[in-house]
Amino acid sequence: QQPSGRRSVVPRPRGKLSALTAVALCCALLLWAAVWRGSLLLLRYTAVGCLALSTGSILRGACLLVEELVNHSFSRYRGNLMKMLKACFHRGHFLCLAVVCVFNQLEPEDWLSVCMACICSLLFSAMGLCDPAAVEVSEIVEQRKMNVGHGLAWSFYTGYLRLILPTGLEASIEEYHASRSAAVLQHRDTWKLHILIPLSCCIPDKLEEADDNISFLDNLPDITIDRAGIRKRVFKHSIYTVYDQAKRPHYCVVEYATPLVTLYQMSQEAMAGFDAEERLQQSTLFFRTLRDILESSRECRGRYRLILLDGPGTPFALSQLQGLRRVEK
């Protein structure tokens, strides 16, 4: 669940607008060049440009191949030359080079232009001027599911939520009712795990430290599961009392998303290379990924509620649990 009016806090996946913009710019530049220099010269200059870019990319790939051959041949590729070639070169560059060479109509001075362009390309690459922009790096790691936030979301789901949400939490609440006469969580609509996700990743160990209107009530019976060689691994959950403005009590099982503690601690370690801005990006990606995973999980459907806290220091309050009072009546 995401607070209304604050949907822009969690970024959407990047689309194809940049590629469409590039195509539009190419068309505009081609039209301008055709009007200015004529279509025949335009074809010649286009061939020179394609040849220069393709050759420059192939030469940069050759430089990368030298590094891989000398220092990483066995540790990364197990001596497989084909894997190294695929990692360093793009087939499209060779295809473009072959097409230009087959339909070669270049003048001698054009080859000098290609040579100088390749030299500039290699120098720019050596100085890091051809490195992808931060946006491109972010897009690559998001598309290939390489982000820290993405991995933490899947770990949180497969190693915890998928184990306790389908049957474990309900069984624990039923056992709690059988052993105690407390009139809390009487309606099954309230038998959900409320997961707090503060984008700041600042998580107190006790909920009372985040909001005075919350107090610890009791622990549910332990959920024990054999997991990864650990017999009867214990999962604990706590019931909290949340007071509204009239000081009326409402009850829920609530906890913070613990992987966000990892993100916060990483941002405090210089070795992790993780600053506050990157932490915010990863926490929003964590929320988006976890939301998508749970929405597509039939076994967890209707058994949880994600609560996004989208500001540094935002307190957890009853307003974040919309519908809690209604379902308890």
Side-chain angles (χ1 to χ4, degrees), residues 1-261:
Q1 178 179 334
Q2 198 169 332
S4 59
R6 298 183 178 180
R7 297 185 183 277
S8 61
V9 173
V10 180
R12 297 178 299 174
R14 290 186 174 90
K16 300 295 183 182
L17 185 57
S18 61
L20 295 175
T21 304
V23 172
L25 286 174
C26 286
C27 293
L29 291 172
L30 283 172
L31 180 61
W32 172 79
V35 172
W36 183 45
R37 301 294 291 179
S39 58
L40 292 179
L41 282 177
L42 177 62
L43 291 175
R44 175 185 162 190
Y45 290 145
T46 301
V48 171
C50 291
L51 184 61
L53 290 174
S54 299
T55 306
S57 297
I58 292 172
L59 292 177
R60 288 200 302 272
C63 297
L64 296 174
L65 182 61
V66 172
E67 165 72 20
E68 302 305 297
L69 278 171
V70 174
N71 295 323
H72 311 287
S73 176
F74 289 96
S75 61
R76 294 179 183 268
Y77 306 98
R78 300 296 185 267
N80 191 321
L81 181 60
M82 288 304 299
K83 287 185 177 180
M84 282 184 276
L85 292 174
K86 289 181 180 179
C88 297
F89 297 100
H90 194 287
R91 295 178 182 177
H93 297 149
F94 290 98
L95 179 61
C96 183
L97 181 62
V99 170
V100 173
C101 291
V102 168
F103 298 97
N104 182 13
Q105 295 181 349
L106 302 183
E107 301 294 335
E109 60 269 18
D110 295 333
W111 290 102
L112 178 60
S113 299
V114 171
C115 180
M116 296 307 299
C118 291
I119 292 174
C120 292
S121 176
L122 291 174
L123 289 176
F124 278 31
S125 178
M127 292 186 293
L129 300 179
C130 293
D131 292 347
V135 170
E136 294 175 299
V137 174
S138 175
E139 184 177 8
I140 290 171
V141 295
E142 284 189 27
Q143 288 179 347
R144 298 184 182 181
K145 315 300 184 185
M146 298 163 60
N147 271 297
V148 174
H150 182 270
L152 287 176
W154 272 104
S155 176
F156 190 48
Y157 170 70
T158 58
Y160 175 55
L161 296 179
R162 193 168 66 176
L163 300 178
I164 59 99
L165 285 182
T167 58
L169 184 62
E170 289 189 1
S172 180
I173 295 175
E174 289 175 350
E175 183 180 347
Y176 179 81
H177 285 159
S179 60
R180 295 169 177 81
S181 58
V184 299
L185 301 177
Q186 292 297 317
H187 301 279
R188 283 188 173 269
D189 289 339
T190 63
W191 293 12
K192 296 181 180 181
L193 179 62
H194 296 76
I195 305 171
L196 307 180
I197 303 181
L199 296 184
S200 65
C201 298
C202 297
I203 296 179
D205 292 329
K206 298 180 180 180
L207 287 179
E208 296 90 332
E209 298 175 5
D211 195 325
D212 295 335
N213 294 317
I214 298 175
S215 63
F216 171 77
L217 178 65
D218 203 353
N219 281 323
L220 289 174
D222 295 344
I223 300 174
T224 58
I225 300 174
D226 293 339
R227 183 72 171 171
I230 302 174
R231 296 297 182 92
K232 295 184 178 181
R233 185 171 184 174
V234 176
F235 295 89
K236 289 181 174 290
H237 300 91
S238 299
I239 305 174
Y240 282 86
T241 305
V242 183
Y243 295 95
D244 60 18
Q245 294 180 348
K247 296 301 179 181
R248 290 170 297 193
H250 307 274
Y251 308 98
C252 62
V253 181
V254 60
E255 63 185 48
Y256 282 102
T258 52
L260 295 182
V261 177

